[in-house]
């Protein structure tokens, strides 16, 4: 396994459409293993093959709930539902953050490293990551979906506010539970 260099915005490869994988061989296994190692080393939640200069339809996505990295080969989004709104970033666009609306629930069909087909479901962050990474395979960068860019400070503020709201909700829940007794 080896770390791969992550291409940054400005590199033409990031704007190209990737081609499907047709051969499930050692070269693919090596690519997947390297992408997983590169993703972990950069603390990201997802990485697409074109981001490491390989124009093939391969992505890896971290499921933060299980800490498992999901390998998707030739992924296809089958259905989307609901909407979520929140900040997004990309390993190829360092220090750029923006608010993006994405579906809240996504079902993806893909192949595993042996070529076997499967479907996987994602909610919240996982749904967001599936959409973001599949976009990369069509040469689409997340900035195209941003409706408001955020500075690092604004991003920190956003998360602080989310935490505050969460704490308040927890407090309200406890309070109403006590009230019911
Ligand atoms: Ni990205």
């Amino acid at each position: 396994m080896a770390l791969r260099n992550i291409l940054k915005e400005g590199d033409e490869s990031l704007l190209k459409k990737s081609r499907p994988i047709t051969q499930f061989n050692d070269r693919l296994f090596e690519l997947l293993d390297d992408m997983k190692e590169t993703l972990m080393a950069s603390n990201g939640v997802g990485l697409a093959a074109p981001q490491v200069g390989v124009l093939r339809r391969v992505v890896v996505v971290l499921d933060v709930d299980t800490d498992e990295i999901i390998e998707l080969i030739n992924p296809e989004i089958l259905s989307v539902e609901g909407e979520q709104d929140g900040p997004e970033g990309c390993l190829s666009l360092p220090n750029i953050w923006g608010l993006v609306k994405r579906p809240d629930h996504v079902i993806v069909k893909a192949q595993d490293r042996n070529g076997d087909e499967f479907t996987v479901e994602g909610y919240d962050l996982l749904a967001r990551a599936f959409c973001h990474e599949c976009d990369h395979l069509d040469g689409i960068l997340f900035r195209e979906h941003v409706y408001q860019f955020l500075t690092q400070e604004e991003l920190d503020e956003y998360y602080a506010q989310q935490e505050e709201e969460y704490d308040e909700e927890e407090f309200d829940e406890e309070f109403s539970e006590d009230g019911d007794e």
Side-chain angles (χ1 to χ4, degrees), residues 51 89-92 132-133 136:
Q51 289 182 277
C90 178
L91 293 172
S92 293
H132 178 119
E133 299 313 327
H136 273 300

Side-chain angles (χ1 to χ4, degrees), residues 22-179:
T22 52
Q23 293 187 43
F24 297 78
N25 55 18
D26 285 349
R27 258 184 96 189
L28 173 65
F29 303 159
E30 196 185 342
L31 172 66
L32 283 164
D33 292 340
D34 287 354
M35 284 174 65
K36 283 159 93 168
E37 198 183 343
T38 306
L39 178 65
M40 283 190 289
S42 43
N43 288 316
V45 292
L47 187 67
Q51 289 182 277
V52 295
V54 178
L55 291 173
R56 291 288 179 170
R57 303 187 83 80
V58 175
V59 308
V60 291
V61 175
L62 175 69
D63 182 346
V64 292
D65 291 329
T66 61
D67 250 354
E68 189 197 339
I69 296 180
I70 304 168
E71 302 176 349
L72 301 172
I73 294 135
N74 303 328
E76 241 178 85
I77 294 177
L78 288 185
S79 73
V80 300
E81 251 180 57
E83 189 183 77
Q84 59 177 312
D85 190 353
E88 211 167 297
C90 178
L91 293 172
S92 293
L93 288 76
N95 302 316
I96 292 182
W97 307 97
L99 296 173
V100 177
K101 289 180 175 146
R102 297 279 192 187
D104 189 45
H105 176 209
V106 171
I107 297 174
V108 180
K109 180 179 87 172
Q111 284 165 284
D112 66 17
R113 60 166 66 202
N114 300 311
D116 293 324
E117 238 177 49
F118 67 101
T119 58
V120 58
E121 219 175 345
Y123 290 89
D124 305 322
L125 183 60
L126 191 54
R128 178 179 289 281
F130 284 156
C131 295
H132 178 119
E133 299 313 327
C134 286
D135 271 353
H136 273 300
L137 303 181
D138 292 323
I140 297 165
L141 298 177
F142 89 101
R143 70 154 70 240
E144 291 185 33
H145 298 296
V146 172
Y147 69 87
Q148 186 192 334
F149 286 95
L150 303 176
T151 62
Q152 181 70 52
E153 270 176 12
E154 287 168 334
L155 180 75
D156 293 343
E157 260 169 49
Y158 180 93
Y159 283 125
Q161 202 177 332
Q162 290 285 105
E163 220 162 272
E164 226 168 76
E165 278 169 25
Y166 180 76
D167 287 345
E168 270 169 31
E169 267 170 39
E170 294 271 283
F171 177 81
D172 286 348
E173 267 169 36
E174 268 174 47
F175 187 74
S176 65
E177 271 167 29
D178 289 345

